[in-house]
Amino acid sequence: MDASQYKDYVLTLLFVKYVSDKYAGDPYALIQVPDGGSFDDMVALKGSKEIGDLSDNRVTGDDLLGDAYEYLMRHFATESGKSKGQFYTPAEVSRVLAKVVGLPEDAPASQTVYDPTCGSGSLLLKVADEAEGDLSLYGQEMDNATAALAKMNMILHDNPTAEIWQDNTLASPHWTEDDGRLKRFDFAVANPPRTSRGATG
């Protein structure tokens, strides 16, 4: 099976594992895991406790699963023959761009960061990592499957309130003001596919 086909299954299962570990049984969680819908429930349906058992890697506040998710996205981008920039910005590039925009370390949540071609969201996450405070993250991605990856990536990296929208940024920008003008953000970053890469702040 081609990497571009199985990545959706593998990354989705990893996401279900993370959400199950972090939110199952918490009535106040941002994401509700329904009875019978957890990762463990899926494993039990297979009839074997060894298949898919990641019990030694339960989420305990670190980024183990988030980092694994990012690693797999990078691997799938390379294996599928797609340009990495099509849905994944390499971590090294993301870190440089995050520093270039000049975010204050104590940026408040009221400060906004936007990526009009967010892909899987890795660049937004690196920018958020640069600031010790909580930022409000916004992104738009044209490809439906990649936008879904971005939403999962945000949750896996403890940014569940990030707002990712699926549509063509140029033809149909989602983030607008009440009067129809484009929304203004405090910072904007981008690694557009098939064009020059850059960042603005």
Side-chain angles (χ1 to χ4, degrees), residues 81-100:
K82 293 183 178 184
S83 144
K84 282 186 183 179
Q86 190 164 344
F87 68 87
Y88 173 79
T89 302
E92 301 80 11
V93 174
S94 295
R95 277 193 289 274
V96 169
L97 290 176
K99 289 184 183 299
V100 168

Side-chain angles (χ1 to χ4, degrees), residues 19-95:
V19 169
S20 295
D21 286 353
K22 183 158 184 149
Y23 299 114
D26 181 355
Y28 305 106
L30 290 172
I31 298 173
Q32 295 298 315
V33 178
D35 291 338
S38 72
F39 185 83
D40 289 337
D41 292 325
M42 287 192 293
V43 171
L45 291 174
K46 290 295 288 181
S48 170
K49 300 230 184 242
E50 278 70 49
I51 297 176
D53 187 2
L54 301 171
S55 59
D56 293 333
N57 295 322
R58 292 185 67 85
V59 176
T60 56
D62 61 24
D63 281 337
L64 177 65
L65 289 177
D67 291 344
Y69 188 82
E70 206 165 319
Y71 168 82
L72 288 170
M73 282 192 295
R74 181 174 65 242
H75 175 72
F76 290 137
T78 303
E79 290 296 313
S80 66
K82 293 183 178 184
S83 144
K84 282 186 183 179
Q86 190 164 344
F87 68 87
Y88 173 79
T89 302
E92 301 80 11
V93 174
S94 295
R95 277 193 289 274

